[in-house]
Structures are given as structure tokens and as C-alpha cells.
């Protein structure tokens, strides 16, 4: 399941690139997937989640905005955003670490209807105003929380 999510996310990212950049991105994506699928590598994922308010703004928000400007819904990116919100709200194995930790935790603690737009607004005000995106992310948050609880909090 993780591999298909990664494939989907990378597909969404490449789709948002200009044609000349997308052409060269295919090789980079292939190399990245090969590296992460190697049995010799055991990547530590917790540091990747650190400082999401910066990393997601730089690396994921452009993909989301490109998809939304074309009328698409970036489902895999929505799942990544949801995972960050789930972690910020105290569900998850990793300790939430962010430069805006107190603010994001406080915003993530409310009901999904309020929390999701507020947290997305930390990343980019346009995300907070996108009702359809907020709904998609809220659905993913609920799904991830259910998965987490079903696994006994692991």
C-alpha cells in the first residue's frame, strides 16, 4: 500500500510540472523508487516528518496548487497532508516536531471541520479556502485515525 501511495504522489507531482521538466523527472522518479525499494536501505522516516510546515510548503503545496488549478484533486497529496494533521493531533507513533509545533497542535485539536482548514492555512492560505480540498483531507484524516485506532495505536 505504501508503494502505491508513493507512486501516486510522485505521479501527481510530475503532472504539475511544465512539459520540459516532466520529461526529465521520469528518470529522477525511477531512481528514487529504485533507491527506496532496495532491501539494503532501511530509511528512518521520522526525520522526514519533522518541520512539515516548511517541508510541506516547499515540496507538496506546489503539487496541490497545480492540481487544483487544473480542476483535479490530488488524492495522494491529500493523504500526506492528512497524515501530518493526524500526527499533529496526537495520533501516530512519531513525536510531532515542527517549528510551529504549538500553533499547529492547537489548530489540529479541534473538530475536523474546523481543524483541517486551519492547519492547511498554516501551509498556504489558498488551501484553507479550498472547500473541496479540505473535505478530501478531512476524509483522509478520519480514515487514517480509524486505521491507527484499529491497529491499537500502532
Amino acid at each position: 500500500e505504501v508503494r502505491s501511495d508513493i507512486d501516486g504522489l510522485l505521479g501527481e507531482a510530475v503532472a504539475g510540472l511544465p512539459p520540459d521538466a516532466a520529461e526529465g523527472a521520469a528518470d529522477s522518479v525511477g531512481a528514487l523508487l529504485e533507491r527506496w525499494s532496495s532491501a539494503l536501505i532501511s530509511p528512518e522516516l521520522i526525520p522526514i516528518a519533522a518541520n512539515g510546515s516548511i517541508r510541506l510548503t516547499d515540496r507538496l503545496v506546489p503539487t496541490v496548487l497545480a492540481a487544483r488549478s487544473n480542476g483535479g484533486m490530488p488524492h495522494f497529496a491529500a493523504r500526506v497532508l492528512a497524515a501530518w494533521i493526524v500526527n499533529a493531533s496526537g495520533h501516530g507513533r512519531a513525536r510531532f516536531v515542527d517549528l510551529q509545533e504549538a500553533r499547529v497542535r492547537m489548530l489540529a485539536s479541534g473538530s475536523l471541520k474546523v481543524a483541517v482548514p486551519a492547519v492547511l492555512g498554516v501551509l498556504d492560505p489558498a488551501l484553507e479556502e479550498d472547500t473541496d480540498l479540505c473535505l478530501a483531507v478531512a476524509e483522509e484524516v478520519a480514515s487514517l485515525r480509524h486505521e491507527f485506532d484499529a491497529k491499537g495505536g500502532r
Side-chain angles (χ1 to χ4, degrees):
E1 181 182 322
V2 172
R3 174 60 190 257
S4 65
D5 285 351
I6 291 171
D7 288 343
L9 180 61
L10 292 172
E12 289 175 353
V14 170
L17 295 174
D20 58 328
E23 203 172 287
D27 292 335
S28 297
V29 167
L32 179 66
L33 291 173
E34 183 178 330
R35 177 176 171 238
W36 280 80
S37 65
S38 171
L40 300 175
I41 296 176
S42 177
E44 180 60 53
L45 297 177
I46 293 173
I48 293 172
N51 295 318
S53 63
I54 294 171
R55 291 178 185 213
L56 293 174
T57 298
D58 292 345
R59 299 175 186 168
L60 191 69
V61 169
T63 297
V64 174
L65 294 174
R68 297 302 291 142
S69 71
N70 292 323
M73 180 56 69
H75 296 286
F76 296 100
R79 190 162 176 85
V80 172
L81 294 169
W84 187 60
I85 293 169
V86 167
N87 186 239
S89 66
H91 289 77
R93 292 179 291 198
R95 181 176 162 265
F96 184 74
V97 177
D98 196 276
L99 294 173
Q100 298 190 59
E101 182 174 341
R103 178 179 177 213
V104 173
R105 278 190 179 281
M106 190 251 330
L107 293 172
S109 67
S111 70
L112 290 182
K113 186 175 183 176
V114 174
V116 169
V119 174
L120 293 181
V122 171
L123 303 175
D124 189 296
L127 302 183
E128 182 175 13
E129 301 299 321
D130 187 334
T131 306
D132 291 337
L133 176 68
C134 290
L135 181 60
V137 172
E139 289 172 358
E140 288 290 343
V141 169
S143 175
L144 289 170
R145 284 181 179 171
H146 177 74
E147 289 176 28
F148 182 75
D149 292 344
K151 292 179 182 178
R154 293 184 273 120

